[in-house]
Amino acid sequence: MPDSQKHALIVGASRGIGLGLAETFLRRGWQVTATRRGPAPSLERLAAEGVQVETVDIDDDAAVAALHGRLGHKRFDLIFVVAGVLIEADRPLSAVSRAVHAKVYLTNAVSPILFAEAFRARLAPGGTLAFMSSVLGSVALNTEGGWENYRASKAALNTHARSFAARHADRDFGVLLLHPGWVATDMGGEGADLDVATSAAGLADVIEARAGRTDLAFLDYRGETLPW
């Protein structure tokens, strides 16, 4: 009999929302492969429950290629690139070094798309390719500034993802840019509106509700459309 269990690849699941997503999809009966960049005790504990834990740095092409090889011919109903960085986002553009700007842009905007290019053939028909974006990536909603390098990196990710979708217009999978809400993580801080479980559950609901669609969308964790 064919395997009816859905398969998810969560890229960047060592902590925070990525870890929450790995746990959420596991609890919903999915087979989950989750990646870390380095030691990740919380994720490693999920391995005892059946999560396949892999190591990859999305900024390293050789590491991405090695992961591709280790996963053999496995196909996924969901590939969700969560990995990203937040570095000196509270400082104005002119106060941040060029090296930091380059790192943030590479990791948040370029590497997720390169990962998607490497793995797009691993998506099952009707599957979903998701990128962790942010409402801060909306150019239309940027009326107050702030979080300049992070905001710009997510706007760039949105643009690159739209180009990816246009370049692969004949694809048989959907492309989502997802805003998780303001979540209480190391990145989001203690004053955030949401806990990880609420955000992860909402994101999973959105992904499951859109299974089989092949369009492009920029949505929040409640499924509401965000302006580009």
Side-chain angles (χ1 to χ4, degrees):
M1 294 180 63
D3 182 6
S4 61
Q5 187 178 34
K6 292 188 175 182
H7 296 228
L9 173 59
I10 311 297
V11 184
S14 61
R15 59 182 181 173
I17 302 169
L19 178 64
L21 285 164
E23 186 167 12
T24 296
F25 282 107
L26 178 67
R27 301 286 179 253
R28 294 187 181 195
W30 288 54
Q31 180 176 320
V32 177
T33 301
T35 77
R36 59 186 180 181
R37 188 174 58 181
S42 295
L43 178 59
E44 289 154 15
R45 283 194 288 272
L46 288 182
E49 300 183 45
V51 172
Q52 179 179 343
V53 177
E54 294 284 349
T55 300
V56 72
D57 181 346
I58 64 169
D59 291 335
D60 184 337
D61 291 335
V64 171
L67 175 66
H68 193 277
R70 288 197 304 275
L71 293 179
H73 299 291
K74 184 174 289 190
R75 303 265 286 192
F76 298 96
D77 300 281
L78 168 67
I79 296 176
F80 197 155
V81 185
V82 179
V85 295
L86 181 72
I87 308 173
E88 299 183 43
D90 58 337
R91 305 181 70 190
L93 188 77
S94 59
V96 178
S97 71
R98 291 178 183 271
V100 167
H101 286 307
K103 169 62 176 174
V104 172
Y105 178 76
L106 177 68
T107 302
N108 289 359
V110 176
S111 293
I113 303 300
L114 296 181
F115 189 95
E117 290 286 6
F119 274 81
R120 63 186 177 85
R122 294 294 183 87
L123 276 161
T128 301
L129 172 65
F131 299 99
M132 189 65 81
S133 186
S134 170
V135 69
L136 295 177
S138 169
V139 175
L141 294 179
N142 183 8
T143 59
E144 298 181 357
W147 287 61
E148 291 185 39
N149 67 4
Y150 183 80
R151 186 188 291 272
S153 73
K154 291 302 185 180
L157 172 63
N158 289 359
T159 295
H160 289 318
R162 293 192 70 165
S163 295
F164 174 94
R167 185 165 57 252
H168 301 296
D170 61 345
R171 66 189 181 277
D172 58 2
F173 57 86
V175 179
L176 295 180
L177 290 144
L178 295 173
H179 167 55
W182 184 17
V183 185
T185 63
D186 290 344
M187 186 177 288
E190 295 180 356
D193 297 329
L194 300 172
D195 59 24
V196 168
T198 300
S199 174
L203 292 169
D205 288 344
V206 172
I207 290 164
E208 290 184 329
R210 294 181 64 88
R213 296 182 59 160
T214 61
D215 55 339
L216 166 73
F218 181 23
L219 307 169
D220 70 10
Y221 72 99
R222 299 163 297 190
E224 296 182 3
T225 300
L226 296 173
W228 298 98

